[in-house]
Amino acid sequence: MSKKTLQKKQLGRKTRRQIPEGQEEEFYRAGQWQLVWWKFRRHKLAQIAMVVLGILYFIAIFAEFVSPHDPLHRFKDYLSFPPTAIHIRDAEGRFHTPFVYGMKMGRDPNTFRPIYEENSSIIYPIGLFVRGDPYKLWGLIPSDVHLFGVGGGDEAMPLFLMGTDTIGRDVLSRIFYGARISLSVGLIGVAISFVLGLLLGGISGFFGGVVDEIIQRVIEVITTLPTIPLFMALAAALPREWPQLRIYFATTLILSILGWTGLARTVRGRLLSMREEDFVLAARLDGESEAAIIARYMIPGFLSYIIVSLTGSLPGMILGETSLSFLGIGLNPPTISWGVMLQDAQDIMNVAHYPWILWPVPVVVLAVLMFNFLGDGLRDAADPYVS
Amino acid sequence: MLAYIIQRIIRVIPQLLLISILAFIIIQLPPGDIVTRQIERLQASGVTVSEAQAQALIRQYGMDRPMYQRYLLWISNIITKFDFGYSYTFEKPVAQVIMERMGYTFAIALFAHIFTWTVAIPIGIYVAVKQYSIMDYIVTLVTFIGLAVPAFFLAMIIMYVALTKFGIRTGGLFSQEYMVLPWSWGKFVDLLKHMWLPIILLGTGGVAGTIRTMRAMMLDELRKQYVTVARAKGLSEFNVIVRYPTRLAINPILSSVMWLLPWLFSGGIILEIVLNLQTAGPALYAALRNQDMYMAGAYILITGALTAISAILSDVLLALSDPRIRFGGVEGA
């Protein structure tokens, strides 16, 4: 009996309680991925994380539709507007579907800061699929239907669930659009790290010898470099006149420059240990080519480790983008990202008067936290044969 | 042993060389050369630059020579004269800017680290001993959140609360009135009044990770038989926990002391910028905003070198404590 099946048997004994009666047969016949999935299912936090991240990415993909407003629309009558209070009971005590009152902007006579007065005579119901700012979904499909908001054209009181910034743009809509940049930076960065790590780690582990030595030394040097100063220096060196799209890709590239080393080490380590495994020897004796051995037997063997390593590097990239953009040396307006939004919070007086501009903070923390949970769950599930 | 140390030092030399080349490449990265930008800057501030002055600048930066010679010029200036180049943002040599601020950077980072340990190690031990208790779950949850919250987020929230609830304007290292004064007792007290916040904030950043390491190590040790033996022999519970497993569990944290060196230098840059401290990090930031790259080169080179030195120190310490490494039984990674 091979080592693997033995372990599977032992795991079987331990997890039998989780397997419904009469399905043990199924457990023994399950493939690796089935086992990974079962093990992942036992990690509740990771599952919650997957749902939350799913929602976040859904919002990012359908930002135009989900946001109540155009993120660049400046509501001149609602500058630095506090988050709108939602009521279900009007002044006379009658119940309605959720609604907001109309608000009128005035100026504080001393500080000239905007202050708002509630006009409880008019109520504006919040509705689903209301018409608002026109947009083009993914730049293609024109529409003006938004998932939620206050309908009724320009006269109606707009809905600002998280308030507006100093020039009257809706914070919530900006967070939704910002998710597009902030959440995709991580994915693209991870994709670049993936290619670099797999390639260099693969070469290193497979060929060994001098090539391995050189790649390992380079990795050693890269891990020696200080992350934040290096990010800052590289980001600051980008030409100022570049278009934002190019800056975006350059920033992503910068973030993944340091990210690939961990993956390369994982891949190399796995390849080195797997080369000695019986099943590789068996494949070789069967006359399989080296390329086929790597592609068909070795890569599936450590794919789960790669996924774990990649998920682990996502939070760092999201935080990296946020930090750089916050400092003004990554992305800059008019691009919208969570870090760019926080640039307004650099002035603490701004935060003191309009604390709702800090909303991107909990959102970033939520995203990072969820990726950490997901990473934890995946790490536990990555090797389903170990209990 | 000596042979081992020498061997280790020799191995680090190419590494340092590579770091210095990378740092130099970063200096050269921004489009346009340094001299042109310097001249533009002078002209923008109303100074007319004559052809002769321009030529002098070109010679001073070695712009008339090929890249590798410029690199050699730069690196030899650093090694022989500790001259990292000139920062036009501060109108001072880079080395001087960094040295002036180094003391504060080190002090804050050092105290922050001490804060981290005094808070994290006892908590780590406690939750390991009381595994699966309510406290354990609470601490685990808090550390999870702690790992996801960067120190500068925390700083912004605390500054906001301090300002709106207590009317205190935090930030900076000195009050306005002491900023330019020479050192005195009053200025020192003023510094202490300002320093506790960055220390706690920076220290808090490390607490979550340290608690998790401590807890995991402690759980491994507590399962071992010698703990049972110690209990069986009638040692008090306090002695059982503190005298034996703690000593072993604390090892990885102690060996991370070595990594303190580079961390002291660049561990809390963003936090320092948010709090507007007179430390090295914000100086780097100010320089970078003007694409004043010599500062960045110096920063990366110094931190990289400190990391390399730390690695040697920790290897040597490891070799001292483990004869298998000293006599070459284990291949160094």
Side-chain angles (χ1 to χ4, degrees), chain B residues 212-223:
Chain B
R212 276 167 64 102
T213 317
M214 195 64 206
R215 178 177 178 274
M217 290 304 299
M218 201 63 195
L219 283 176
D220 278 354
E221 288 302 324
L222 284 173
R223 271 188 217 118

Side-chain angles (χ1 to χ4, degrees), chain A residues 45 213 217-218 220-226 228-230 232-241 319 322-324 326-329 342 345-349 351-355 358 360-362 364-365 368-369 372-373 376 379, chain B residues 8 11 14-16 18-19 22 26 29-31 141 144-150 152-153 155-157 159-160 163-164 169-170 212 266 269-270 273-274 281 284-285 288-291 293 296 299-300 303-305 307-308 332-333:
Chain A
L45 273 176
E213 187 69 16
R217 285 295 145 290
V218 171
E220 213 164 79
V221 169
I222 290 180
T223 45
T224 312
L225 295 170
I228 296 294
L230 186 72
M232 283 170 68
L234 289 172
L238 298 177
R240 297 289 151 85
E241 59 280 356
L319 286 177
T322 309
S323 312
L324 288 180
F326 167 72
L327 294 176
I329 46 180
L342 284 175
Q346 275 207 4
D347 180 2
I348 192 68
M349 292 316 279
V351 181
H353 296 307
Y354 320 117
L358 281 183
V361 169
V364 172
V365 171
V368 170
L369 199 59
N372 283 346
F373 285 150
D376 257 33
R379 189 169 21 193
Chain B
R8 199 62 193 74
R11 263 187 51 180
Q15 204 177 327
L16 286 176
L18 211 57
I19 294 172
L22 276 172
I26 285 166
L29 269 184
L141 186 73
F144 251 121
I145 296 171
L147 283 177
V149 181
F152 76 99
F153 276 11
M156 287 202 285
I157 291 164
M159 284 169 87
Y160 164 69
L163 189 64
T164 52
R169 257 205 104 145
T170 43
R212 276 167 64 102
S266 65
I269 291 191
I270 300 176
I273 294 168
V274 170
L284 170 71
Y285 176 53
L288 281 176
R289 295 202 74 147
N290 291 319
Q291 295 198 332
M293 300 303 284
Y299 223 93
I300 287 164
T303 318
T307 314

Side-chain angles (χ1 to χ4, degrees), chain A residues 51-269:
Chain A
V51 172
V52 173
L53 287 171
I55 295 171
L56 284 177
Y57 276 99
F58 177 86
I59 288 173
I61 292 167
F62 297 99
E64 288 97 343
F65 168 66
V66 181
S67 329
H69 303 288
D70 183 332
L72 298 175
H73 185 158
R74 297 179 181 190
F75 292 88
K76 291 191 186 59
D77 296 330
Y78 305 100
L79 304 179
S80 299
F81 190 81
T84 323
I86 297 174
H87 306 265
I88 51 169
R89 230 176 126 184
D90 66 16
E92 278 112 56
R94 280 172 307 200
F95 285 95
H96 297 261
T97 54
F99 66 89
V100 295
Y101 285 124
M103 300 282 243
K104 188 123 189 68
M105 183 168 83
R107 289 271 179 189
D108 185 298
N110 298 317
T111 60
F112 289 102
R113 277 202 298 274
I115 43 175
Y116 294 93
E117 256 170 53
E118 207 171 65
N119 175 2
S120 57
S121 58
I122 321 168
I123 67 169
Y124 298 100
I126 296 170
L128 290 175
F129 305 106
V130 296
R131 292 189 181 278
D133 291 330
Y135 61 83
K136 276 187 174 169
L137 188 62
W138 309 319
L140 295 171
I141 310 158
S143 171
D144 60 355
V145 177
H146 295 260
L147 179 63
F148 64 96
V150 173
D154 291 341
E155 300 307 308
M157 167 70 209
L159 179 67
F160 303 116
L161 283 184
M162 293 185 180
T164 67
D165 61 11
T166 39
I167 53 175
R169 294 173 304 192
D170 179 36
V171 172
L172 182 68
S173 301
R174 291 175 68 72
I175 284 182
F176 285 175
Y177 275 78
R180 237 176 218 184
I181 300 283
S182 295
L183 291 177
S184 68
V185 159
L187 288 189
I188 297 178
V190 157
I192 300 172
S193 301
F194 176 73
V195 174
L196 279 175
L198 202 58
L199 204 67
L200 292 169
I203 292 172
S204 193
F206 194 75
F207 291 105
V210 186
V211 187
D212 182 32
E213 187 69 16
I214 292 172
I215 292 177
Q216 289 313 305
R217 285 295 145 290
V218 171
I219 288 180
E220 213 164 79
V221 169
I222 290 180
T223 45
T224 312
L225 295 170
T227 320
I228 296 294
L230 186 72
F231 283 170
M232 283 170 68
L234 289 172
L238 298 177
R240 297 289 151 85
E241 59 280 356
W242 272 14
Q244 283 294 312
L245 190 68
R246 204 187 289 171
I247 296 258
Y248 165 74
F249 282 115
T251 309
T252 323
L253 201 64
I254 290 170
L255 293 176
S256 45
I257 280 179
L258 299 180
W260 63 272
T261 54
L263 183 65
R265 283 205 159 146
T266 313
V267 170
R268 173 178 175 269

